[in-house]
Amino acid sequence: MKWSVAMIQTDPVSATANPGSVTERVLTDTVWNMGVLDLLTGVYHQRYLEEALPVAIHECRQRGQKLSILYVDIDRFEAINDRCGRLVGDLVLQHVAQTLKRRARLPESWVSREEADAFVICLPGITANVARRCANNLRVAIMSERLQLESGEISLTCSFGVQTMEETNTTLTADALLREAKGKAALAKQAGGNGVV
């Protein structure tokens, strides 16, 4: 999210005189967001993923729920970067990240950037079947929403890996869950991309 000076009151007296005021909450939210968001894409960064995924797994176990994650890998990203330049590559990352964030709006879900051209969507309480449907809907959305540039438009696709932790699994770690989802996305990419495994 881009912040402007107009969004934040600059009177320090009102912020200190009224604890819990709108100004204080905006400033607190701004500082918090700067600490957990990837500055380029506006979704959570990798450090947040590393800290939040184990917590989400623990909470789902406590509630006796499943947890699914989607590993999303942009197809042919390096070729786009090489052919069109890094600025266009950054626009591609922003476009995909915001499409995922806007369309993967299930209760308690969140999106994080995992690597240069990959994202993870955490879906607490979501079964494997629902997660696969979500992944396919996102796949179609990304394929359909072409990125408009001054020089024309770019068609994008992503490979999705879906992995679910059953509510009875008490030993699966966040790293293992992520590794399984990443491996499935790699299989989708090897099969030509634009798929869900």
Side-chain angles (χ1 to χ4, degrees):
M1 180 177 202
K2 293 181 179 176
W3 291 90
S4 67
V5 175
M7 295 175 68
I8 302 174
Q9 295 178 7
T10 56
D11 180 4
V13 175
S14 64
T16 56
N18 301 308
S21 67
V22 172
T23 303
E24 187 176 44
R25 287 195 304 274
V26 168
L27 289 170
T28 301
D29 290 348
T30 302
V31 171
W32 188 83
N33 284 338
M34 288 172 65
V36 299
L37 296 181
D38 177 62
L39 296 179
L40 175 64
T41 62
V43 299
Y44 292 121
H45 53 50
Q46 186 168 3
R47 190 170 72 250
Y48 179 88
L49 168 66
E50 292 167 357
E51 294 175 1
L53 185 55
V55 173
I57 289 172
H58 174 74
E59 289 177 351
C60 282
R61 283 187 179 132
Q62 294 291 101
R63 296 192 297 244
Q65 293 180 329
K66 301 176 190 294
L67 177 140
S68 295
I69 63 169
L70 311 181
Y71 193 93
V72 187
D73 198 347
I74 301 174
D75 295 328
R76 294 170 286 283
F77 179 75
E78 288 184 11
I80 293 171
N81 239 356
D82 292 344
R83 187 175 72 250
C84 303
R86 184 172 176 181
L87 178 59
V88 170
D90 286 351
L91 292 173
V92 166
L93 290 168
Q94 291 170 345
H95 175 75
V96 170
Q98 290 306 308
T99 300
L100 296 175
K101 185 177 179 180
R102 190 174 67 250
R103 292 184 170 266
R105 301 195 68 157
L106 293 167
E108 300 184 48
S109 68
W110 45 266
V111 181
S112 174
R113 188 174 178 190
E114 202 271 335
E115 289 184 344
D117 60 344
F119 300 89
V120 171
I121 304 173
C122 180
L123 303 170
I126 301 300
T127 65
N129 286 339
V130 173
R132 275 193 287 275
R133 283 200 301 273
C134 179
N136 196 55
N137 290 341
L138 291 169
R139 180 190 66 78
V140 171
I142 290 167
M143 182 178 61
S144 304
E145 295 179 11
R146 295 173 181 243
L147 177 59
Q148 302 295 327
L149 302 170
E150 289 182 3
S151 57
E153 60 180 27
I154 295 179
S155 298
L156 301 170
T157 61
C158 291
S159 296
F160 289 78
V162 181
Q163 187 63 36
T164 300
M165 178 194 77
E166 299 297 326
E167 61 268 41
T168 55
N169 189 324
T170 59
T171 60
L172 187 66
T173 65
D175 287 343
L177 187 68
L178 192 58
R179 191 167 51 249
E180 291 291 325
K182 186 174 183 177
K184 289 182 176 181
L187 290 175
K189 185 167 272 199
Q190 289 166 13
N194 194 26
V196 177
V197 174

